[in-house]
């Protein structure tokens, strides 16, 4: 598959990626271990247990709400396949994936806050401020806003894989709605549901920005937010370290549980005919209500953010030097972190392919087995925990703000690495299976192979991975919050500061700028392609 020079280059790149990532995370973990001892405080006091319990409780409630609401949404969209606007609703479900959490939190406040649309409508009904967006309620609303579309999209994809022949048979047998759900839909949903629920649960457990913005005080604090508070407000490194190891333990257990459900979906035999759902005609009204409510729930915070942002004084913001510096810093860090993430991802993807060759040495095979763990290491040791370790390291050398850009760049690159690997790995595997032997037999190697064969075929997944890595870095607040210092400011940190100081007009304008940039990066890559199914022959 690879020429001799390419193998040598890949082995060197793999060694650098493996050693660099493990060294970076290992130094942070070693510093946490060094600070774990000493002090007279108990290891796990009532506060830590309360934080741990709230972390798991809010994650469980958020997951349950997201999944329970996603099932009827996915079923409604799967049944109603031909109405106008369906493709735009599916595209709308992608928007929260590319939206920074802080921007979404501002949109949730605009809709559900004290002066929000929901409370205004409820006041007309005689109720006074019946919804409080701060605390557990706000966290649940924001998490459902993010995870309901994600879960619905995964479930819809699973339902769309059901062979068309199943629906034809169900119509011929005269199955009712209950029988269709029990015998056709539920077996498919049941297979993918544990994995989806586990993913949503882990996203909620490691949620930082949403809880920091909407938590509402010590009674609604998660482990990662407690780490931030221990370092930035109490300056209690020992408590921060204990919380960091607790977070690692929680994520380790979740990753192990997720691995138990990582199985490929079962596919039924099909002749490839176009899908026609005959049961959708009887459910149009009910499905229409579900789809409209889902659309309003997802679109309302986006519309509120847009309206509030357009009302901001952009003329004054455009002259704000702090905004200029934050924008330049965010773009520079996100561009560098995206480039670094791709540079690490390439050996992570390619060296295991090299290790599959029959003449691969022992060291290459060992490296091929170890490198895939690099892509998931940041899931085990979350970015806030890594940032905490490096914050403690850099305190030994003086002001941490001087080193913040470089450290945050690496942390953001590792944060995006799991996504980048999952985008590039299947694309590269397919590409190598199609072209590697022919290119090697023709002697097309090195830069010629990259320019003539690899880049034209892999340009789209590369750009998709790069755009998402950049968007993730642009919207990140976790590592920046740990290192927040005078003279170093990013767009999310500036937005959070303006929200904390009740400069809501400026915050809305900054949120609009940040949201537009991130969506411009992510939406073109996630828009669903039009199906190219051939029309089915008449039965």
């Amino acid at each position: 598959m690879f020429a001799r020079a390419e193998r040598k280059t890949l082995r060197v790149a793999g060694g650098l990626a493996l050693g660099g990532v493990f060294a970076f995370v290992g130094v942070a973990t070693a510093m946490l271990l060094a600070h774990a001892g000493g002090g007279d405080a108990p290891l796990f006091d009532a506060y830590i247990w309360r934080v741990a319990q709230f972390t798991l409780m809010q994650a469980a409630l958020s997951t349950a709400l997201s999944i329970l609401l996603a099932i009827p949404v996915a079923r409604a969209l799967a049944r109603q396949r031909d109405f106008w606007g369906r493709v735009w609703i599916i595209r709308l479900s992608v928007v929260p994936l590319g939206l920074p959490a802080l921007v979404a939190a501002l949109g949730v406040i605009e809709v559900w806050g004290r002066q929000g649309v929901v409370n205004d409508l409820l006041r007309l009904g005689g109720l006074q401020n019946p919804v409080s967006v701060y605390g557990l309620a706000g966290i649940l609303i924001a998490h459902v806003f993010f995870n309901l579309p994600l879960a619905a999209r995964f479930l819809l994809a699973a339902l769309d894989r059901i062979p068309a022949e199943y629906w034809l048979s169900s119509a011929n047998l005269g199955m009712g709605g209950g029988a269709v759900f029990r015998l056709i839909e539920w077996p498919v949903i049941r297979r993918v549901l544990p994995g989806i629920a586990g993913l949503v649960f882990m996203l909620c457990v490691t949620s930082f920005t949403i809880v920091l913005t909407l938590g509402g005080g010590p009674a609604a604090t998660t482990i990662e937010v407690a780490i931030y508070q221990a370092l930035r407000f109490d300056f209690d490194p020992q408590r921060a370290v204990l919380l960091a190891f607790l977070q690692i333990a929680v994520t380790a257990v979740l990753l192990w549980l997720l691995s138990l459900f990582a199985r490929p979906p079962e596919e039924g035999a099909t002749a490839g005919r176009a899908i026609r759902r005959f049961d959708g005609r009887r459910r149009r009204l009910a499905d229409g209500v579900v789809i409209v409510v889902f659309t309003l729930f997802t679109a309302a915070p986006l519309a509120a953010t847009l309206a509030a942002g357009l009302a901001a004084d952009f003329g004054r913001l455009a002259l704000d030097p702090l905004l200029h510096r934050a924008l330049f810093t965010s773009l520079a860090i996100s561009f560098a972190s995206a480039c670094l993430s791709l540079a690490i991802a390439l050996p992570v993807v390619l060296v295991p392919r090299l290790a599959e060759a029959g003449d691969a040495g022992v060291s290459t095979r060992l490296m091929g087995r170890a490198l895939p763990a690099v892509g998931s290491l940041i899931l085990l040791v979350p970015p806030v925990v890594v940032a905490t370790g490096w914050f403690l390291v850099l305190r030994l050398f003086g002001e941490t703000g001087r080193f913040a850009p470089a450290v945050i760049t690496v942390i953001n690159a590792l944060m995006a690495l799991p996504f980048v690997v999952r985008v590039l790995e299947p694309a590269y595997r397919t590409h190598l299976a199609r072209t590697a032997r022919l290119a090697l037999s023709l002697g097309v190697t090195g830069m010629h192979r990259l320019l003539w064969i690899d880049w034209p075929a892999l340009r789209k997944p590369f750009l998709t991975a790069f755009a998402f890595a950049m968007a993730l870095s642009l919207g990140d607040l976790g590592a920046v919050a740990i290192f927040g210092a005078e003279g170093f400011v990013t767009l999310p940190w500036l937005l959070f500061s303006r929200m904390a100081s009740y400069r809501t007009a400026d915050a809305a304008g900054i949120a609009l700028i940040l949201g537009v940039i991130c969506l411009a990066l992510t939406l073109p890559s996630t828009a669903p392609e039009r199906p190219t199914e051939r029309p089915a022959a008449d039965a």
Side-chain angles (χ1 to χ4, degrees):
M1 281 192 183
F2 300 98
R4 185 185 300 272
E6 291 174 332
R7 296 179 185 179
K8 183 178 179 180
T9 302
L10 283 176
R11 282 193 289 267
V12 172
L16 291 175
L18 189 65
V21 172
F22 277 105
F24 184 82
V25 178
V27 167
T29 306
M31 182 55 67
L32 293 175
L33 286 170
H35 281 75
D40 299 325
L43 289 180
F44 294 102
D45 55 19
Y47 171 76
I48 292 180
W49 283 118
R50 187 167 66 249
V51 168
Q53 289 170 3
F54 181 81
T55 300
L56 298 176
M57 180 191 69
Q58 62 83 22
L61 291 175
S62 299
T63 302
L65 287 173
S66 299
I67 295 298
L68 290 176
L69 294 174
I71 290 175
V73 171
R75 293 183 66 211
L77 288 171
R79 276 193 296 256
Q80 309 302 328
R81 306 182 61 83
D82 300 322
F83 70 91
W84 183 88
R86 182 179 186 268
V87 66
W88 293 105
I89 293 175
I90 296 176
R91 288 179 178 177
L92 176 65
S93 69
V94 180
V95 172
L97 301 179
L99 199 66
L102 197 56
V103 177
L106 184 62
V108 169
I109 293 173
E110 291 288 340
V111 174
W112 296 87
R114 181 178 295 273
Q115 304 300 325
V117 177
V118 173
N119 276 330
D120 287 344
L121 293 175
L122 293 176
R123 284 191 201 100
L124 294 177
L127 298 175
Q128 294 298 320
N129 299 327
V131 177
S132 175
V133 77
Y134 295 103
L136 179 60
I139 293 171
L140 295 180
I141 292 171
H143 281 165
V144 173
F145 168 76
F146 270 108
N147 297 313
L148 167 59
L150 176 67
R153 191 170 174 83
F154 281 140
L155 290 171
L156 177 61
L159 292 174
D160 282 345
R161 289 196 296 267
I162 296 176
E165 289 78 8
Y166 285 28
W167 306 117
L168 185 61
S169 298
S170 68
N172 290 334
L173 294 172
M175 286 186 182
V180 166
F181 176 73
R182 188 176 67 256
L183 299 176
I184 299 179
E185 292 178 322
W186 177 243
V188 173
I189 293 174
R190 184 179 58 199
R191 285 195 295 270
V192 300
L193 201 57
I196 297 173
L199 174 62
V200 172
F201 189 84
M202 185 163 185
L203 290 174
C204 295
V205 163
T206 57
S207 176
F208 174 80
T209 304
I210 291 297
V211 181
L212 181 65
T213 309
L214 302 174
T221 298
T222 57
I223 297 174
E224 292 198 356
V225 174
I227 294 171
Y228 163 75
Q229 292 171 342
L231 283 179
R232 302 303 303 178
F233 295 125
D234 305 328
F235 197 71
D236 187 349
Q238 185 184 13
R239 182 179 292 275
V241 168
L242 290 174
L243 289 164
F245 280 114
L246 180 60
Q247 181 72 2
I248 292 174
V250 170
T251 52
V253 171
L254 290 177
L255 286 173
W256 174 71
L257 292 175
L258 279 175
S259 68
L260 299 180
F261 301 111
R263 57 178 182 177
E266 298 178 14
E267 305 288 352
T270 177
R273 66 173 69 233
I275 295 175
R276 293 179 60 194
R277 292 290 299 266
F278 302 94
D279 56 335
R281 301 169 187 170
R282 301 189 300 269
R283 300 278 304 177
R284 276 182 185 161
L285 180 59
D287 288 344
V289 171
V290 170
I291 292 170
V292 168
V293 171
F294 168 73
T295 304
L296 289 176
F297 178 79
T298 306
L302 306 176
T305 302
L306 177 62
L310 292 175
D313 188 353
F314 281 102
R316 184 169 55 81
L317 281 176
L319 299 176
D320 187 350
L322 190 58
L323 178 62
H324 299 164
R325 188 160 74 245
L327 179 60
F328 174 79
T329 302
S330 291
L331 291 175
I333 288 177
S334 62
F335 182 84
S337 65
C339 292
L340 179 60
S341 190
L342 282 172
I344 298 172
L346 285 177
V348 171
V349 170
L350 291 177
V351 171
R353 306 284 82 77
L354 179 65
E356 293 171 357
D359 57 347
V362 175
S363 61
T364 302
R365 289 198 295 270
L366 291 175
M367 189 184 300
R369 294 174 183 174
L371 273 171
V374 169
S376 301
L377 186 61
I378 201 64
L379 299 177
L380 176 62
V381 189
V384 170
V385 175
V386 178
T388 301
W390 275 99
F391 177 85
L392 297 174
V393 170
L394 297 178
R395 278 180 57 238
L396 304 175
F397 300 94
E399 176 57 48
T400 57
R402 290 183 299 167
F403 307 97
V407 174
I408 290 173
T409 296
V410 180
I411 291 175
N412 287 350
L414 297 181
M415 178 180 64
L417 188 60
F419 172 82
V420 173
V421 169
R422 281 160 178 76
V423 171
L424 294 182
E425 200 274 334
Y428 245 118
R429 187 194 307 118
T430 302
H431 174 69
L432 290 176
R434 292 174 177 174
T435 65
R437 295 184 185 279
L438 180 60
L440 189 60
S441 66
L442 295 175
V444 183
T445 61
M447 289 299 298
H448 292 100
R449 173 174 168 172
L450 176 64
L451 294 176
W452 297 347
I453 299 176
D454 294 342
W455 178 247
L458 298 171
R459 179 174 59 234
K460 184 175 180 179
F462 257 89
L463 295 178
T464 298
F466 183 86
F468 260 96
M470 226 181 135
L472 285 172
S473 178
L474 269 171
D476 175 63
L477 181 64
V480 177
I482 297 295
F483 284 94
E486 292 294 333
F488 174 73
V489 60
T490 63
L491 278 180
W493 183 248
L494 181 61
L495 172 56
F496 179 73
S497 301
R498 297 291 166 87
M499 291 175 65
S501 59
Y502 299 102
R503 298 171 64 178
T504 55
D506 286 355
I510 297 170
L512 182 60
I513 294 171
L514 180 59
V516 167
I517 294 174
C518 290
L519 291 179
L521 287 169
T522 56
L523 282 186
S525 303
T526 56
E529 299 178 359
R530 290 184 177 274
T532 56
E533 296 170 324
R534 60 180 177 82
D538 292 335

